[in-house]
Amino acid sequence: RMEDIEGDWWVLRGVNCGERPYPGGYDWYPCQHERFIKSPSGQWINNVTYCGGQHDKCTTDIIVTIANVSMPHPGVVNHVYTDAPLDPQVEDWRLVSMPHPDYALMLWCGKLPVLDYAGGIVISKHRNDKKMPKSVEKEFRKVLSKHNIEWEKMCPSDNDHCPV
């Protein structure tokens, strides 16, 4: 249910850090903030904000992008971006682990007319991972290993300095 992920989520770790086989670095943009909101019309949106830069340092102003979101299958959050520079831009984010209501692991794949791309993110209601229970990290490590992804190779983000 979309209600399970409603609200504000910060990206704490990413898979797509700008290195092979993920050259885009999409999961390591500073200040990534997902806001899953049900609009008055009943349409769910993800109001996404982030900035250009790296290593928790913004080199641009905050960027805003909006996607209409739905859950066509349990655990699959379909994103159709309303402001994509190349249309259509569609992504499916798979909720692969949510061992705690404040933490989730999502693996995603996307498609543009000229490019297929993918990654994964650890999201949290908290701006950093300092309060992440060890049991949550252990579960994420276990799930990631089933997908041949190493926790240590994920790019960490600390959002304490980011605007809301």
mmCIF file of all heavy atoms in Angstrom, residues 136-164:
data_model
loop_
_atom_site.group_PDB
_atom_site.id
_atom_site.type_symbol
_atom_site.label_atom_id
_atom_site.label_comp_id
_atom_site.label_asym_id
_atom_site.label_seq_id
_atom_site.Cartn_x
_atom_site.Cartn_y
_atom_site.Cartn_z
ATOM 1 N N VAL A 136 18.607 -3.665 11.581
ATOM 2 C CA VAL A 136 18.169 -3.170 10.271
ATOM 3 C C VAL A 136 19.322 -3.267 9.275
ATOM 4 O O VAL A 136 19.155 -3.770 8.163
ATOM 5 C CB VAL A 136 17.645 -1.716 10.373
ATOM 6 C CG1 VAL A 136 17.420 -1.114 8.994
ATOM 7 C CG2 VAL A 136 16.364 -1.674 11.193
ATOM 8 N N GLU A 137 20.496 -2.800 9.676
ATOM 9 C CA GLU A 137 21.668 -2.911 8.797
ATOM 10 C C GLU A 137 21.940 -4.370 8.443
ATOM 11 O O GLU A 137 22.219 -4.696 7.299
ATOM 12 C CB GLU A 137 22.895 -2.294 9.461
ATOM 13 C CG GLU A 137 24.129 -2.381 8.582
ATOM 14 C CD GLU A 137 25.382 -1.814 9.219
ATOM 15 O OE1 GLU A 137 25.283 -0.829 9.977
ATOM 16 O OE2 GLU A 137 26.468 -2.376 8.958
ATOM 17 N N LYS A 138 21.856 -5.237 9.422
ATOM 18 C CA LYS A 138 22.105 -6.674 9.188
ATOM 19 C C LYS A 138 21.111 -7.226 8.159
ATOM 20 O O LYS A 138 21.486 -7.968 7.248
ATOM 21 C CB LYS A 138 22.000 -7.439 10.511
ATOM 22 C CG LYS A 138 22.308 -8.902 10.401
ATOM 23 C CD LYS A 138 22.245 -9.594 11.761
ATOM 24 C CE LYS A 138 22.532 -11.068 11.619
ATOM 25 N NZ LYS A 138 22.420 -11.761 12.911
ATOM 26 N N GLU A 139 19.850 -6.857 8.289
ATOM 27 C CA GLU A 139 18.834 -7.321 7.336
ATOM 28 C C GLU A 139 19.115 -6.770 5.932
ATOM 29 O O GLU A 139 19.016 -7.493 4.943
ATOM 30 C CB GLU A 139 17.441 -6.905 7.806
ATOM 31 C CG GLU A 139 16.323 -7.226 6.834
ATOM 32 C CD GLU A 139 16.116 -8.708 6.565
ATOM 33 O OE1 GLU A 139 16.601 -9.561 7.336
ATOM 34 O OE2 GLU A 139 15.460 -9.025 5.548
ATOM 35 N N PHE A 140 19.454 -5.491 5.834
ATOM 36 C CA PHE A 140 19.762 -4.900 4.531
ATOM 37 C C PHE A 140 20.961 -5.601 3.895
ATOM 38 O O PHE A 140 20.959 -5.889 2.701
ATOM 39 C CB PHE A 140 20.024 -3.399 4.654
ATOM 40 C CG PHE A 140 18.793 -2.571 4.919
ATOM 41 C CD1 PHE A 140 18.917 -1.265 5.368
ATOM 42 C CD2 PHE A 140 17.513 -3.070 4.724
ATOM 43 C CE1 PHE A 140 17.798 -0.474 5.608
ATOM 44 C CE2 PHE A 140 16.381 -2.292 4.973
ATOM 45 C CZ PHE A 140 16.534 -0.990 5.414
ATOM 46 N N ARG A 141 21.985 -5.879 4.676
ATOM 47 C CA ARG A 141 23.165 -6.581 4.159
ATOM 48 C C ARG A 141 22.766 -7.947 3.587
ATOM 49 O O ARG A 141 23.244 -8.348 2.522
ATOM 50 C CB ARG A 141 24.210 -6.772 5.263
ATOM 51 C CG ARG A 141 24.972 -5.526 5.620
ATOM 52 C CD ARG A 141 25.900 -5.793 6.827
ATOM 53 N NE ARG A 141 26.684 -4.658 7.197
ATOM 54 C CZ ARG A 141 27.880 -4.362 6.691
ATOM 55 N NH1 ARG A 141 28.423 -5.146 5.797
ATOM 56 N NH2 ARG A 141 28.533 -3.289 7.095
ATOM 57 N N LYS A 142 21.913 -8.648 4.306
ATOM 58 C CA LYS A 142 21.468 -9.976 3.871
ATOM 59 C C LYS A 142 20.698 -9.891 2.552
ATOM 60 O O LYS A 142 20.962 -10.648 1.618
ATOM 61 C CB LYS A 142 20.597 -10.614 4.961
ATOM 62 C CG LYS A 142 20.185 -12.041 4.681
ATOM 63 C CD LYS A 142 19.455 -12.637 5.869
ATOM 64 C CE LYS A 142 17.987 -12.396 5.698
ATOM 65 N NZ LYS A 142 17.142 -13.011 6.715
ATOM 66 N N VAL A 143 19.766 -8.957 2.474
ATOM 67 C CA VAL A 143 18.959 -8.794 1.257
ATOM 68 C C VAL A 143 19.836 -8.360 0.090
ATOM 69 O O VAL A 143 19.711 -8.879 -1.024
ATOM 70 C CB VAL A 143 17.801 -7.798 1.500
ATOM 71 C CG1 VAL A 143 17.091 -7.467 0.207
ATOM 72 C CG2 VAL A 143 16.822 -8.360 2.524
ATOM 73 N N LEU A 144 20.718 -7.400 0.330
ATOM 74 C CA LEU A 144 21.599 -6.918 -0.743
ATOM 75 C C LEU A 144 22.486 -8.036 -1.274
ATOM 76 O O LEU A 144 22.715 -8.119 -2.488
ATOM 77 C CB LEU A 144 22.455 -5.761 -0.236
ATOM 78 C CG LEU A 144 21.723 -4.446 -0.025
ATOM 79 C CD1 LEU A 144 22.554 -3.497 0.824
ATOM 80 C CD2 LEU A 144 21.346 -3.812 -1.353
ATOM 81 N N SER A 145 22.983 -8.900 -0.388
ATOM 82 C CA SER A 145 23.864 -9.988 -0.833
ATOM 83 C C SER A 145 23.139 -10.927 -1.793
ATOM 84 O O SER A 145 23.757 -11.475 -2.709
ATOM 85 C CB SER A 145 24.440 -10.749 0.363
ATOM 86 O OG SER A 145 23.444 -11.519 0.998
ATOM 87 N N LYS A 146 21.840 -11.076 -1.629
ATOM 88 C CA LYS A 146 21.057 -11.910 -2.563
ATOM 89 C C LYS A 146 21.006 -11.293 -3.961
ATOM 90 O O LYS A 146 20.703 -11.971 -4.934
ATOM 91 C CB LYS A 146 19.635 -12.102 -2.036
ATOM 92 C CG LYS A 146 19.561 -12.940 -0.785
ATOM 93 C CD LYS A 146 18.143 -13.056 -0.267
ATOM 94 C CE LYS A 146 18.094 -13.822 1.031
ATOM 95 N NZ LYS A 146 16.740 -13.872 1.590
ATOM 96 N N HIS A 147 21.293 -9.995 -4.043
ATOM 97 C CA HIS A 147 21.299 -9.280 -5.325
ATOM 98 C C HIS A 147 22.725 -8.943 -5.768
ATOM 99 O O HIS A 147 22.921 -8.102 -6.648
ATOM 100 C CB HIS A 147 20.463 -8.001 -5.212
ATOM 101 C CG HIS A 147 19.023 -8.261 -4.940
ATOM 102 N ND1 HIS A 147 18.117 -8.578 -5.930
ATOM 103 C CD2 HIS A 147 18.324 -8.286 -3.774
ATOM 104 C CE1 HIS A 147 16.926 -8.770 -5.399
ATOM 105 N NE2 HIS A 147 17.024 -8.596 -4.092
ATOM 106 N N ASN A 148 23.709 -9.596 -5.140
ATOM 107 C CA ASN A 148 25.127 -9.375 -5.444
ATOM 108 C C ASN A 148 25.545 -7.918 -5.271
ATOM 109 O O ASN A 148 26.319 -7.377 -6.065
ATOM 110 C CB ASN A 148 25.474 -9.874 -6.852
ATOM 111 C CG ASN A 148 25.304 -11.365 -6.973
ATOM 112 O OD1 ASN A 148 25.708 -12.111 -6.084
ATOM 113 N ND2 ASN A 148 24.685 -11.808 -8.053
ATOM 114 N N ILE A 149 25.019 -7.282 -4.232
ATOM 115 C CA ILE A 149 25.377 -5.901 -3.907
ATOM 116 C C ILE A 149 25.995 -5.905 -2.521
ATOM 117 O O ILE A 149 25.456 -6.498 -1.584
ATOM 118 C CB ILE A 149 24.131 -4.983 -3.936
ATOM 119 C CG1 ILE A 149 23.500 -4.975 -5.337
ATOM 120 C CG2 ILE A 149 24.497 -3.574 -3.489
ATOM 121 C CD1 ILE A 149 22.138 -4.307 -5.393
ATOM 122 N N GLU A 150 27.145 -5.226 -2.393
ATOM 123 C CA GLU A 150 27.850 -5.172 -1.120
ATOM 124 C C GLU A 150 27.535 -3.859 -0.402
ATOM 125 O O GLU A 150 27.668 -2.785 -0.982
ATOM 126 C CB GLU A 150 29.353 -5.284 -1.341
ATOM 127 C CG GLU A 150 29.780 -6.620 -1.926
ATOM 128 C CD GLU A 150 31.270 -6.641 -2.223
ATOM 129 O OE1 GLU A 150 32.049 -6.147 -1.375
ATOM 130 O OE2 GLU A 150 31.637 -7.138 -3.301
ATOM 131 N N TRP A 151 27.148 -3.962 0.855
ATOM 132 C CA TRP A 151 26.855 -2.800 1.691
ATOM 133 C C TRP A 151 28.018 -1.809 1.674
ATOM 134 O O TRP A 151 27.825 -0.610 1.553
ATOM 135 C CB TRP A 151 26.569 -3.283 3.109
ATOM 136 C CG TRP A 151 26.289 -2.211 4.107
ATOM 137 C CD1 TRP A 151 27.185 -1.672 4.988
ATOM 138 C CD2 TRP A 151 25.049 -1.561 4.359
ATOM 139 N NE1 TRP A 151 26.574 -0.722 5.769
ATOM 140 C CE2 TRP A 151 25.253 -0.634 5.401
ATOM 141 C CE3 TRP A 151 23.770 -1.663 3.816
ATOM 142 C CZ2 TRP A 151 24.245 0.172 5.907
ATOM 143 C CZ3 TRP A 151 22.768 -0.854 4.325
ATOM 144 C CH2 TRP A 151 23.000 0.047 5.348
ATOM 145 N N GLU A 152 29.247 -2.323 1.796
ATOM 146 C CA GLU A 152 30.429 -1.474 1.864
ATOM 147 C C GLU A 152 30.645 -0.660 0.589
ATOM 148 O O GLU A 152 31.301 0.373 0.611
ATOM 149 C CB GLU A 152 31.692 -2.297 2.150
ATOM 150 C CG GLU A 152 31.755 -2.880 3.540
ATOM 151 C CD GLU A 152 30.878 -4.119 3.719
ATOM 152 O OE1 GLU A 152 30.402 -4.703 2.721
ATOM 153 O OE2 GLU A 152 30.641 -4.494 4.880
ATOM 154 N N LYS A 153 30.136 -1.129 -0.529
ATOM 155 C CA LYS A 153 30.333 -0.424 -1.805
ATOM 156 C C LYS A 153 29.231 0.596 -2.084
ATOM 157 O O LYS A 153 29.297 1.334 -3.062
ATOM 158 C CB LYS A 153 30.430 -1.423 -2.954
ATOM 159 C CG LYS A 153 31.711 -2.225 -2.896
ATOM 160 C CD LYS A 153 31.899 -3.070 -4.125
ATOM 161 C CE LYS A 153 33.226 -3.810 -4.055
ATOM 162 N NZ LYS A 153 33.400 -4.696 -5.209
ATOM 163 N N MET A 154 28.234 0.643 -1.216
ATOM 164 C CA MET A 154 27.175 1.647 -1.380
ATOM 165 C C MET A 154 27.709 3.004 -0.928
ATOM 166 O O MET A 154 28.522 3.093 -0.012
ATOM 167 C CB MET A 154 25.935 1.258 -0.569
ATOM 168 C CG MET A 154 25.260 -0.003 -1.062
ATOM 169 S SD MET A 154 23.797 -0.400 -0.084
ATOM 170 C CE MET A 154 22.612 0.761 -0.775
ATOM 171 N N CYS A 155 27.267 4.062 -1.603
ATOM 172 C CA CYS A 155 27.725 5.408 -1.267
ATOM 173 C C CYS A 155 26.842 5.981 -0.153
ATOM 174 O O CYS A 155 25.639 6.041 -0.293
ATOM 175 C CB CYS A 155 27.742 6.296 -2.497
ATOM 176 S SG CYS A 155 26.424 6.015 -3.692
ATOM 177 N N PRO A 156 27.467 6.389 0.958
ATOM 178 C CA PRO A 156 26.699 6.928 2.089
ATOM 179 C C PRO A 156 26.394 8.414 1.916
ATOM 180 O O PRO A 156 27.165 9.147 1.296
ATOM 181 C CB PRO A 156 27.625 6.705 3.275
ATOM 182 C CG PRO A 156 29.000 6.766 2.689
ATOM 183 C CD PRO A 156 28.873 6.219 1.279
ATOM 184 N N SER A 157 25.288 8.841 2.479
ATOM 185 C CA SER A 157 24.920 10.256 2.482
ATOM 186 C C SER A 157 24.495 10.676 3.882
ATOM 187 O O SER A 157 23.792 9.941 4.559
ATOM 188 C CB SER A 157 23.766 10.513 1.514
ATOM 189 O OG SER A 157 24.173 10.333 0.181
ATOM 190 N N ASP A 158 24.924 11.861 4.269
ATOM 191 C CA ASP A 158 24.501 12.470 5.524
ATOM 192 C C ASP A 158 23.769 13.754 5.156
ATOM 193 O O ASP A 158 24.341 14.645 4.522
ATOM 194 C CB ASP A 158 25.717 12.767 6.395
ATOM 195 C CG ASP A 158 25.343 13.320 7.768
ATOM 196 O OD1 ASP A 158 24.322 14.038 7.858
ATOM 197 O OD2 ASP A 158 26.079 13.047 8.720
ATOM 198 N N ASN A 159 22.516 13.844 5.509
ATOM 199 C CA ASN A 159 21.649 14.960 5.088
ATOM 200 C C ASN A 159 21.412 15.983 6.193
ATOM 201 O O ASN A 159 20.491 16.797 6.081
ATOM 202 C CB ASN A 159 20.313 14.393 4.606
ATOM 203 C CG ASN A 159 20.499 13.425 3.458
ATOM 204 O OD1 ASN A 159 20.855 13.819 2.365
ATOM 205 N ND2 ASN A 159 20.277 12.141 3.720
ATOM 206 N N ASP A 160 22.223 15.961 7.233
ATOM 207 C CA ASP A 160 22.015 16.886 8.347
ATOM 208 C C ASP A 160 22.053 18.355 7.906
ATOM 209 O O ASP A 160 21.360 19.199 8.473
ATOM 210 C CB ASP A 160 23.055 16.675 9.439
ATOM 211 C CG ASP A 160 22.719 15.489 10.331
ATOM 212 O OD1 ASP A 160 21.549 15.047 10.343
ATOM 213 O OD2 ASP A 160 23.635 14.985 11.011
ATOM 214 N N HIS A 161 22.839 18.673 6.909
ATOM 215 C CA HIS A 161 23.009 20.067 6.463
ATOM 216 C C HIS A 161 21.972 20.509 5.428
ATOM 217 O O HIS A 161 21.953 21.672 5.031
ATOM 218 C CB HIS A 161 24.407 20.229 5.843
ATOM 219 C CG HIS A 161 24.568 19.471 4.564
ATOM 220 N ND1 HIS A 161 24.676 18.092 4.527
ATOM 221 C CD2 HIS A 161 24.606 19.881 3.283
ATOM 222 C CE1 HIS A 161 24.791 17.702 3.273
ATOM 223 N NE2 HIS A 161 24.757 18.775 2.501
ATOM 224 N N CYS A 162 21.114 19.618 5.007
ATOM 225 C CA CYS A 162 20.199 19.884 3.899
ATOM 226 C C CYS A 162 18.952 20.645 4.365
ATOM 227 O O CYS A 162 18.465 20.437 5.469
ATOM 228 C CB CYS A 162 19.754 18.577 3.259
ATOM 229 S SG CYS A 162 21.133 17.600 2.626
ATOM 230 N N PRO A 163 18.427 21.494 3.477
ATOM 231 C CA PRO A 163 17.155 22.148 3.803
ATOM 232 C C PRO A 163 16.028 21.131 3.776
ATOM 233 O O PRO A 163 16.157 20.064 3.186
ATOM 234 C CB PRO A 163 16.987 23.180 2.697
ATOM 235 C CG PRO A 163 17.802 22.671 1.560
ATOM 236 C CD PRO A 163 18.935 21.874 2.165
ATOM 237 N N VAL A 164 14.939 21.446 4.425
ATOM 238 C CA VAL A 164 13.780 20.558 4.422
ATOM 239 C C VAL A 164 13.132 20.662 3.065
ATOM 240 O O VAL A 164 12.772 19.824 2.403
ATOM 241 C CB VAL A 164 12.766 20.937 5.521
ATOM 242 C CG1 VAL A 164 11.561 20.038 5.470
ATOM 243 C CG2 VAL A 164 13.404 20.892 6.871
#
